[in-house]
């Protein structure tokens, strides 16, 4: 379940050192080398899944439970003012490392960081067409 060419496989399994803030049998949580804010961390499964689509359901459930636990601990320890969970899939969505990871990003009132999008302004008809495309 590992990919020999994947850097996050090597980090998650301890073959490459990292600043680890949590580890269990399924996951390692490390500090991001290029943080958006102080404490920015990544949840890495020890098994290789390229993205959310490949993630087994039981691992997906565990990721969210771990994200909640880490966000709670980090908020308490870092005294941050808010928190973003970010998870990118595909190059167009900003994914640069193709081993599933969840970003844990503590936010601070003065962090001057932008994590977001330009809001659109669709009509009710456009929204309804999209709703149908997805749901029906
Ligand atoms: P994404 O753009 O969602 O694929 O996120 C990849 C993240 O991994 C970026 O925030 C990088 O700064 C981070 N990153 C890449 N290589 C390493 C590494 N060796 N150790 C820690 N973080 C890394
Ligand atoms: Zn991997």
């Amino acid at each position: 379940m590992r990919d020999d060419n994947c850097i996050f496989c090597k980090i998650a399994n301890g073959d490459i050192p990292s600043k680890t803030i949590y580890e269990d049998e399924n996951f390692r949580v490390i500090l991001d080398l290029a943080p958006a804010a102080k404490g920015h961390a990544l949840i890495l499964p020890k098994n290789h899944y390229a993205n959310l689509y490949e993630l087994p359901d039981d691992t997906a459930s565990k990721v969210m439970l771990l994200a909640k636990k880490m966000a709670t601990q980090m908020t308490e320890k870092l005294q941050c003012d808010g928190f973003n969970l970010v998870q990118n899939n595909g190059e167009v969505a900003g994914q640069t490392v193709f081993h599933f990871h969840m970003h844990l990003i503590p936010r601070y009132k003065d962090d001057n960081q932008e994590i977001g999008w330009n809001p659109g302004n669709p009509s009710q008809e456009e929204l309804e067409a999209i709703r149908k495309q997805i749901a029906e």
Side-chain angles (χ1 to χ4, degrees), residues 5-88:
N5 297 315
C6 173
I7 186 168
F8 278 6
C9 279
K10 294 190 176 96
I11 292 173
N13 291 283
D15 301 334
I16 293 178
S18 62
K19 294 295 181 201
T20 297
I21 58 174
Y22 175 85
E23 185 183 4
D24 64 23
E25 61 174 331
N26 298 307
F27 301 99
R28 183 186 294 270
V29 184
I30 65 164
L31 293 182
D32 196 298
L33 281 184
K38 180 183 160 190
H40 181 169
L42 304 169
I43 298 178
L44 310 180
K46 291 188 174 178
N47 287 330
H48 182 84
Y49 310 109
N51 50 43
L52 182 67
Y53 309 112
E54 290 190 1
L55 204 63
D57 286 356
D58 66 326
T59 308
S61 310
K62 287 176 182 151
V63 167
M64 190 47 89
L65 287 174
L66 181 54
K68 180 186 171 190
K69 176 187 159 101
M70 294 307 303
T72 303
Q73 180 178 338
M74 291 164 75
T75 298
E76 186 191 323
K77 300 270 185 165
L78 295 168
Q79 292 286 292
C80 58
D81 304 304
F83 215 95
N84 290 115
L85 297 182
V86 176
Q87 201 279 305
N88 301 324

Side-chain angles (χ1 to χ4, degrees), residues 95-111:
Q95 187 175 10
T96 59
V97 181
F98 295 87
H99 173 124
F100 174 94
H101 51 281
M102 173 80 83
H103 293 261
L104 304 169
I105 309 179
R107 300 302 305 276
Y108 306 88
K109 284 191 182 104
D110 59 355
D111 65 20

Side-chain angles (χ1 to χ4, degrees), residues 107-123:
R107 300 302 305 276
Y108 306 88
K109 284 191 182 104
D110 59 355
D111 65 20
N112 280 321
Q113 194 55 253
E114 282 186 32
I115 297 169
W117 54 86
N118 299 319
N121 187 24
S123 66

